Structure formats: C-alpha cells, structure tokens
Amino acid sequence: MNKEDVLRQIAEEILNCKKCPLWQHRNKAVPGEGNANAEIMFIGEAPGYHEDIQGRPFVGAAGKLLTQLITSLGLKREDVYITNVVKCRPPNNRDPRPDEIAACSPYLDKQMKVISPRIIVTLGRHSTLYLFSKAGIDISGISQVRGRLFNLTLNDFNVIVIPTYHPAAALYNPRLRDALERDFKFIKKVLTGEYWEEKKKTVTLEEFF
Ligand code: URA
Ligand code: SF4
C-alpha cells in the first residue's frame, strides 16, 4: 500500500469511530487532509463548527488565517498536511478531555508516522503538550516553547517540532497575531535552510572570539 492508501484507510476508520463519546455529537468526523508526502505538517486541537459540518480541517475563520500563514511560507494547503489531535468536534467547542485525547491520538500517531514530515508545527496548547509528552518532556504551557525548534523523538521517529499559538487565539489578539506571524517567518527559515546557515555563522563568530 502506498502512503495515500494508508492515509485513506486511517480516514475510513476515523469516519466510523466510536472510541470516545464525541462521536455522538458529530456531524462529520474530520480526519485531516493534504499531501501524503508533505515536508511540513500542522496539528491543531479539534474540529470546530464549520469543520464538523464540512468534514475538513481548518475551514472556518481560524482556517482562513492558517491558510494565509501557509501561503506566507510559499506553500499551498495542498502541499502540506493539516489535522488535529482530536478528530470529532467537542460540544460547544469545549477543550478536549484527557480521555478523549487518549482515545483519539493513536490516529494522529499513525498519520505522523506514515507522512513522516521533516517539520511538525503544533498549533496551540493541546497539540504542543501532546507531542512533548510523547517525547517524555513535561512542559507547563506553550509560551515557554513557542517559536523555537525542538528535535523530538516520538516513539520510533525523530522530527523537528516548532510550536506556535493557535490561529483562533490570534484572531482577536493583535499581540498573539504578531507572535504567530513572527513564528511563521522562523518556520520559513527552517524550511529553506536559512536557519542553519545563520547558525553556522554564529558558531564561526563564537569560535573567532
Ligand atoms: N481549530 C482547530 O484546532 N482545528 C480545526 O480544524 C479548526 C479550528
Ligand atoms: Fe473516535 Fe476520535 Fe471521534 Fe472519539 S474523537 S469518536 S476517538 S475519531
């Protein structure tokens, strides 16, 4: 089976899933979408109102901002892979509960493994805490890690993780929006390799002095 087929099979399982109580509230489960060979993967929290209606991730107001930010990387939505930690919408957009995350996250784990992106961008607290806990690292919140690069070992593979704020949080908060845009400039440098070029220069200067 090729990667697309494996992703389709995972999506099929999600659409029929009843492993946690959230299935009772959903219109459509939202498995995720994008390029099976994506170099970069974005992980949000859970579907919202519009995502639940359409069965697609990040199609509401936060999605519009995410799409703009992806464009700022010189990429299209079809170039990347976009999904969430939890695949069904929690009622009234409440936070997903630990038992729901525990029930649903094996799907995300499989998606990450199949796609094996070079970079994972976690959007907001939930996906950030989830990936760090998978790597065996306890963090208290997102502000201590956002906008920085981490090499995490998730079970059996290594990946660069760059946490940033959730686009929904940035919609009505100019300070968070600035930070989110700055983080995407940083992500672009990592994508293009400029980040390592700059790092090399810094090392050379340190060695010089
Ligand atoms: N917020 C999320 O975390 N995910 C979506 O898909 C939409 C909004
Ligand atoms: Fe299954 Fe995840 Fe939906 Fe719960 S949220 S029913 S675990 S797909």
Side-chain angles (χ1 to χ4, degrees):
M1 256 201 304
N2 63 28
K3 284 183 166 198
E4 282 87 1
D5 289 336
V6 181
L7 287 177
R8 251 192 299 273
Q9 198 177 55
I10 298 167
E12 197 63 33
E13 270 181 63
I14 292 168
L15 296 179
N16 296 304
C17 179
K18 296 184 176 178
K19 283 202 281 187
C20 87
L22 290 181
W23 75 269
Q24 301 170 61
H25 308 276
R26 74 182 170 217
N27 285 299
K28 287 186 181 161
V30 182
E33 67 183 23
N35 191 326
N37 296 299
E39 200 183 359
I40 180 164
M41 183 167 176
F42 295 88
I43 308 176
E45 173 180 329
Y49 175 82
H50 295 281
E51 291 75 21
D52 172 71
I53 301 276
Q54 295 186 39
R56 295 181 56 210
F58 283 98
V59 290
K64 199 168 159 202
L65 176 54
L66 177 62
T67 305
Q68 281 172 13
L69 290 163
I70 290 170
T71 308
S72 79
L73 299 174
L75 296 170
K76 300 194 183 70
R77 271 177 78 111
E78 306 85 80
D79 298 324
V80 307
Y81 197 86
I82 306 173
T83 190
N84 290 298
V85 177
V86 161
K87 314 298 194 195
C88 302
R89 182 191 181 209
N92 305 315
N93 296 344
R94 67 158 168 76
D95 282 358
R97 296 185 175 136
D99 58 309
E100 293 158 354
I101 294 176
C104 205
S105 54
Y107 295 125
L108 174 63
D109 292 352
K110 282 189 212 162
Q111 290 169 325
M112 291 191 292
K113 180 99 189 280
V114 177
I115 298 164
S116 289
R118 191 160 69 85
I119 302 166
I120 292 178
V121 176
T122 52
L123 304 166
R125 184 163 193 279
H126 286 279
S127 55
T128 303
L129 292 191
Y130 177 70
L131 283 210
F132 276 80
S133 77
K134 262 208 108 48
I137 304 165
D138 272 331
I139 52 167
S140 56
I142 183 162
S143 38
Q144 75 186 103
V145 290
R146 69 142 264 273
R148 293 163 59 197
L149 177 154
F150 299 86
N151 241 305
L152 298 189
T153 304
L154 308 172
N155 288 349
D156 42 6
F157 74 103
N158 288 306
V159 64
I160 291 171
V161 175
I162 305 174
T164 188
Y165 290 124
H166 195 291
L171 278 179
Y172 306 103
N173 184 330
R175 199 179 51 82
L176 290 193
R177 180 152 177 159
D178 284 351
L180 189 59
E181 284 171 5
R182 249 182 290 125
D183 290 353
F184 269 74
K185 292 202 176 104
F186 175 70
I187 294 165
K188 186 163 188 182
K189 283 188 180 178
V190 176
L191 263 176
T192 59
E194 198 186 326
Y195 167 78
W196 282 277
E197 291 304 317
E198 282 182 5
K199 232 179 140 131
K200 251 191 266 169
K201 278 185 216 145
T202 324
V203 172
T204 315
L205 279 175
E206 276 166 8
E207 282 165 358
F208 188 80
F209 287 108

